[in-house]
Amino acid sequence: MSNHYDVIVIGAGPAGYSAAIRCAQLGMRTAVVDAFVFKDGEPALGGTCLNVGCIPSKALLDSSEQYHKVTEQLSAHGITAQGVELDVEKMIARKDKVVKDLTGGIRQLFKANKIEWIHGHGQLVEAKTVEVRRSDGTSERYSADSVVLATGSRSVEIGAAALDHERIVNSDGALDFTEVPQRLGIIGAGVIGLEMGSVWSRLGSEVVLLEAQDEFLGPVDRQVARTAQKEFKKQGLDIRLGCRVTGTRVDGGVTVSYEDKNGGQELEVDRLIVCVGRRPNTDDLCSKEVDLLLDERGFINVDEDCKTNLPDVYAVGDVVRGPMLAHKGQEEGILVAERIAGKGGRLNYETIPWVIYTDPEIAWVGRTEEQLKKAGIPYNTGVFGFAANGRARAMDQTAGMVKLIAHAETDRLLGAHIIGPQASELIAEAVVTMEFAGSAEDIARTIHAHPTLSESVHEAALAVGKRAIHKAN
């Protein structure tokens, strides 16, 4: 076979494999270059998301939630469980099987769409030429009419807490603990830190999260963030804000030195997870001869169509501007494939949903009340608590609320913020409404099945107009 393709994609995460599949669907001869190797030594597709990110973390979150329900919550339903045992190794093995099933599914999709997977590290050596370096030291060059860069991101490391991959780990390592730490420290109380903290807290760890920012969950609506902080505190998560880690010492356990408003402090833990953000994988993406424009943080500069400064070279996913979210990268990959094929389309960055898979879940889309105030945009809000929702009551999951924000003059939905059961699923209704420039009235006039959690979205929409049925307006 020729080493020339219509499209070469570097990176096989959600952004890359979605771009490749859509290119193949559109009749283009497509190859994907990716060097990821799973912990068992086998090459694997799916990138960070499927192998060491979204999927395995959600598998562990679900397992830990099942354990917590049995040990802490079933008695309220009249169910008594005895002899409950926790097998962490089996839990990890289940997580790995979920990962293998899904990454194997991507491999089958590549086969079905006649996409060639070239395993190795891909580097752009000319505008449309990719050199692939294999683990055996050999290399080979491939050319294409178009190239898509989708190399994803990796965890940020800090000198004050250098990883030893045993006692001090990043979020990848936190997915493979073989036993439950008695005391677990986490640097960073953002999305990943809270999710990892939730997993191990439910399984019995005493969890302390050290967050450098003075404000908890800064990007989240303040009303939702306050509710979340209160709920997490009730669950036993010790979240300490305004803490700057200055050093660590490993001696059996881990001693973490940090500074807060009261001065120098120390924390003794058995394991430490570093979750302070992610950075784009662009360090070795291009040879010196290729003048790909990056910004000061290492992100690739692109236009609204994800075109780089190089002719017929595109970039998508975590390596470009915007939130580092798998679903955002996936849609960019599809957009680019269709652009290469000469088709139209667009991506609305204002309607990208965010989710934190804690208990209760947190999900949002659009702007917060604080952002609208700062921008001077008039708005109305509607809030409905799950405590007044029949389905939530029946499920014994009444913490949280739905908050909708609509323009005060046009009633167009500007933002939706949910904390509560299945928030990750409920947010989709608000996303669709906003994508079609819908209003709170549109949701209020839509019939929602009873009893369902989605009725809380309906009631919040009614509350925007001060006419909610199941709450005092």
Side-chain angles (χ1 to χ4, degrees):
M1 292 290 287
S2 167
N3 277 13
H4 183 82
Y5 296 86
D6 295 320
V7 180
I8 293 177
V9 181
I10 305 179
Y17 77 67
S18 297
I21 290 172
R22 187 66 184 122
C23 283
Q25 288 174 344
L26 291 166
M28 291 176 268
R29 183 169 182 249
T30 306
V32 174
V33 179
D34 191 271
F36 190 90
V37 176
F38 195 59
K39 65 181 183 179
D40 61 4
E42 288 294 318
L45 296 167
T48 292
C49 176
L50 268 68
N51 289 280
V52 290
C54 317
I55 299 304
S57 64
K58 303 315 167 281
L60 286 184
L61 279 161
D62 188 72
S63 293
S64 64
E65 183 179 356
Q66 302 301 331
Y67 179 76
H68 184 71
K69 282 180 178 179
V70 172
T71 57
E72 302 291 338
Q73 297 177 335
L74 288 186
S75 60
H77 296 266
I79 302 171
T80 300
Q82 296 178 338
V84 178
E85 296 182 357
L86 178 63
D87 187 334
V88 176
E89 290 189 3
K90 188 172 183 179
M91 187 178 293
I92 298 299
R94 172 190 173 273
K95 176 261 298 181
D96 289 344
K97 184 179 184 305
V98 170
V99 168
K100 285 284 190 178
D101 288 347
L102 287 173
T103 57
I106 301 299
R107 189 185 293 235
Q108 290 301 313
L109 287 171
F110 274 28
K111 183 177 180 180
N113 286 282
K114 297 180 173 57
I115 298 168
E116 184 172 349
W117 173 23
I118 305 170
H119 190 260
H121 175 78
Q123 184 183 63
L124 201 63
V125 293
E126 295 176 16
K128 300 180 185 180
T129 302
V130 176
E131 182 173 271
V132 179
R133 299 196 301 269
R134 298 184 175 85
S135 58
D136 61 6
T138 63
S139 64
E140 191 168 0
R141 292 194 173 192
Y142 301 83
S143 62
D145 296 329
S146 299
V147 175
V148 181
L149 308 176
T151 47
S153 62
R154 64 186 184 276
S155 297
V156 171
E157 297 185 17
I158 56 175
L163 306 182
D164 67 0
H165 304 288
E166 178 58 34
R167 292 291 174 180
I168 305 178
V169 302
N170 58 19
S171 57
D172 297 5
L175 297 169
D176 284 319
F177 289 166
T178 56
E179 60 184 12
V180 179
Q182 183 175 343
R183 279 177 62 83
L184 175 64
I186 300 177
I187 303 176
V191 175
I192 299 174
L194 287 171
E195 290 182 355
M196 289 296 94
S198 293
V199 167
W200 296 105
S201 176
R202 291 173 190 164
L203 299 178
S205 287
E206 182 182 339
V207 178
V208 179
L209 297 102
L210 303 176
E211 170 57 50
Q213 301 298 317
D214 294 322
E215 190 174 63
F216 180 61
L217 288 178
V220 177
D221 181 90
R222 288 299 86 203
Q223 188 175 3
V224 170
R226 287 192 296 270
T227 301
Q229 191 169 8
K230 179 181 177 181
E231 290 300 320
F232 296 153
K233 184 177 180 180
K234 288 197 306 188
Q235 294 172 16
L237 291 178
D238 183 353
I239 302 171
R240 304 179 188 180
L241 303 175
C243 299
R244 185 175 68 86
V245 174
T246 57
T248 52
R249 185 175 69 255
V250 178
D251 185 13
V254 183
T255 300
V256 184
S257 300
Y258 66 96
E259 293 181 355
D260 61 13
K261 62 182 179 181
N262 297 316
Q265 310 288 343
E266 284 194 344
L267 172 68
E268 300 282 345
V269 294
D270 299 304
R271 306 287 285 268
L272 180 67
I273 307 173
V274 181
C275 299
V276 294
R278 300 185 66 81
R279 57 176 297 187
N281 285 325
T282 53
D283 291 351
D284 192 31
L285 181 54
C286 299
S287 66
K288 295 178 181 179
E289 295 74 25
V290 177
D291 189 24
L292 179 68
L293 289 182
L294 308 178
D295 69 14
E296 66 280 359
R297 297 176 299 164
F299 290 94
I300 301 170
N301 287 332
V302 292
D303 65 13
E304 62 181 9
D305 292 329
C306 293
K307 289 181 180 178
T308 72
N309 64 299
L310 303 176
D312 300 306
V313 177
Y314 300 79
V316 294
D318 286 4
V319 293
V320 301
R321 76 286 181 268
M324 288 183 168
L325 298 171
H327 44 282
K328 171 257 193 184
Q330 176 175 311
E331 295 304 322
E332 285 178 332
I334 294 170
L335 171 72
V336 161
E338 295 180 349
R339 281 285 188 264
I340 293 171
K343 295 182 176 294
R346 66 181 184 89
L347 183 59
N348 185 358
Y349 287 88
E350 297 297 319
T351 58
I352 297 175
W354 295 68
V355 181
I356 306 176
Y357 294 87
T358 47
D359 183 17
E361 291 184 347
I362 303 168
W364 70 96
V365 63
R367 285 180 274 188
T368 66
E369 191 171 352
E370 292 73 31
Q371 289 171 333
L372 292 171
K373 282 181 181 177
K374 187 175 181 179
I377 297 173
Y379 64 89
N380 294 318
T381 63
V383 178
F384 189 80
F386 284 103
N389 177 273
R391 184 68 185 276
R393 280 283 177 185
M395 295 166 62
D396 198 23
Q397 296 185 43
T398 56
M401 72 189 112
V402 177
K403 178 178 183 178
L404 299 183
I405 308 176
H407 196 286
E409 297 168 359
T410 66
D411 195 44
R412 181 172 177 172
L413 194 63
L414 301 176
H417 308 272
I418 307 174
I419 176 170
Q422 298 181 30
S424 58
E425 304 292 340
L426 295 175
I427 198 65
E429 180 174 7
V431 173
V432 171
T433 301
M434 290 177 62
E435 183 63 28
F436 284 89
S439 65
E441 181 72 7
D442 289 326
I443 296 177
R445 293 292 180 184
T446 300
I447 298 174
H448 291 65
H450 174 78
T452 60
L453 296 173
S454 67
E455 287 179 286
S456 293
V457 180
H458 182 238
E459 289 278 5
L462 289 168
V464 170
K466 301 191 183 330
R467 63 183 199 275
I469 300 302
H470 294 94
K471 67 169 283 190
N473 292 293

